[in-house]
Amino acid sequence: MAKQPQITADDVLRALAMDFEPGTSVLQRYLTQYPEHSLALIDLSMELTREFDDDAPPGAAEFDLAAAGMARLRENTATLQSLQAAPAKAFADAIKVLSLPMQVGLAFRERRIEVATLPRRVLAKMAEALQTSTETLLSYLALPPEAPLARARKSTVKPAVPEKVSFERVLQDAGVDEQSISNLLLEE
């Protein structure tokens, strides 16, 4: 039986942003359900209730804050080239976010998954775990599949050209139970 994936802080914050109404008990309900994310929930609720003067131009502090955020994004974002050069361990570690077996991470690394069969939610979580954008991960997965050279050297038969298969097939081959597969493939 596969363990339930732990809900991330980003997922909780997105849910609160969708449900939030000032003056209601929505924040209290989220604080009760997710006490481990209480600081982030309170910060978001303060942001959501903050008043803005649309007529006033942004000050130096707002520009500095935006510049710092953009610099942080530029530093930590993986590019298509860095994904191509990334070791298999990076993909195996990233797939742990979804609580899936290492074989699924290697299928991502080897680009053996048909992009059209990937649920958006899975794609977004994988991109976040790899510290890249969804578009960059999509571009990476759209490249031709790659045969791992280490496995080809150990083989006694001539290695075949890998083919892209559906995400569901990758999950089945990795031994993920049917209930978990249906939960993953269910688009919200």
Side-chain angles (χ1 to χ4, degrees), residues 166-186:
S166 70
F167 184 58
E168 182 177 12
R169 173 79 186 272
V170 170
L171 294 173
Q172 289 169 344
D173 291 349
V176 178
D177 64 282
E178 290 299 320
Q179 182 62 39
S180 297
I181 291 173
S182 64
N183 289 344
L184 278 170
L185 296 177
L186 183 69

Side-chain angles (χ1 to χ4, degrees), residues 7 11 50 56 60 62 67 83 122-123 127 130 151 176 178:
I7 190 164
D11 290 338
R50 195 168 82 171
E62 283 91 5
L83 282 178
V122 172
L123 189 65
L130 289 169
R151 272 193 254 156
V176 178
E178 290 299 320

Side-chain angles (χ1 to χ4, degrees), residues 95-166:
I95 203 67
K96 289 178 185 174
V97 170
L98 294 166
S99 301
L100 292 173
M102 181 175 50
Q103 295 93 320
V104 179
L106 294 178
F108 271 94
R109 169 68 179 94
E110 296 167 3
R111 301 184 293 265
R112 290 186 289 119
I113 301 171
E114 290 177 7
V115 175
T117 64
L118 268 172
R120 287 280 174 203
R121 183 173 33 89
V122 172
L123 189 65
K125 285 187 177 186
M126 189 66 177
E128 183 180 337
L130 289 169
Q131 296 180 342
T132 190
S133 68
T134 306
E135 293 79 21
T136 302
L137 183 57
L138 278 172
S139 298
Y140 174 78
L141 292 172
L143 294 172
E146 174 183 80
L149 295 176
R151 272 193 254 156
R153 286 191 196 121
K154 294 179 182 180
S155 178
T156 57
V157 296
K158 184 177 178 181
V161 177
E163 293 180 5
K164 292 200 180 228
V165 295
S166 70

